[in-house]
Amino acid sequence: MRHPKREIQDKAKVEELLKGCTTLQLALWDGETPYAVTVDFGYADGAVYFHSATAGLKMDCVRANGLVAFTTVVESELIRAEDGCGYTTHFTSVSGRGRATVLEDPAEKAAGLDVILAQHQGPTGGYPEKVLRKTAVVRIDLDELVGKVNPAYPGDPQI
């Protein structure tokens, strides 16, 4: 990170921030072209889960190589100024990188859907077999998880 003072050092805080979000911007690569899309997600035990239709560009990219990155903005506020050079945005965000795996086992798919729905305060469990068959559930095993704030809050125990 170019401005280390902006990095949230407390891993538990970064995870707490991530668990407070419901959508993230997912970046994928099919080997030739980058692709970014917003997805609903859930986070648990060092992994991000999202669901999808079983076919389409998103799943083509995941299956091509599984390399993914993402970001989610926890909060954002535009700060206006008299001139353009004074404009900025105060924000808190979480970003990560990892490798995506399409879950095939129905029990693993159901567990992944539970993580997503729990993050959205939704009901969990009881997924019909036909829904599990036609729904792709993807787990991203994280290699990196970083929280960032602007402006930097050096020494602030809340961040």
Side-chain angles (χ1 to χ4, degrees):
M1 184 171 300
R2 192 168 66 89
H3 295 288
K5 286 196 265 185
R6 292 186 179 165
E7 183 176 353
I8 300 171
Q9 298 289 326
D10 183 349
K11 182 179 178 185
K13 179 65 176 176
V14 174
E15 289 179 322
E16 177 187 327
L17 290 167
L18 187 60
K19 288 177 182 179
C21 296
T22 56
T23 59
L24 57 77
Q25 291 68 49
L26 183 66
L28 303 156
W29 172 255
D30 68 2
E32 295 181 26
T33 307
Y35 175 65
V37 63
T38 300
V39 296
D40 294 323
F41 80 100
Y43 173 79
D45 303 322
V48 168
Y49 295 83
F50 69 91
H51 65 89
S52 175
T54 58
L57 182 55
K58 178 175 31 183
M59 294 307 296
D60 290 347
C61 290
V62 168
R63 289 184 179 105
N65 67 25
L67 297 176
V68 301
F70 68 86
T71 191
T72 184
V73 178
V74 180
E75 58 187 358
S76 176
E77 178 187 8
L78 177 64
I79 305 302
R80 299 177 186 275
E82 290 295 317
D83 63 46
C85 293
Y87 268 63
T88 190
T89 303
H90 290 179
F91 65 87
T92 304
S93 67
V94 176
S95 299
R97 291 184 298 137
R99 182 162 297 273
T101 301
V102 180
L103 303 179
E104 300 296 342
D105 178 70
E108 286 184 332
K109 290 172 80 168
L113 290 172
D114 281 349
V115 171
I116 297 165
L117 283 161
Q119 187 137 335
H120 292 257
Q121 290 89 43
T124 59
Y127 309 106
E129 191 176 314
K130 69 178 184 177
V131 170
L132 291 175
R133 272 196 311 270
K134 69 178 187 174
T135 304
V137 179
V138 179
R139 182 188 67 235
I140 302 170
D141 296 307
L142 298 177
D143 296 324
E144 179 181 61
L145 188 63
V146 177
K148 183 177 178 181
V149 292
N150 180 43
Y153 300 104
D156 185 342
Q158 298 302 309
I159 301 295

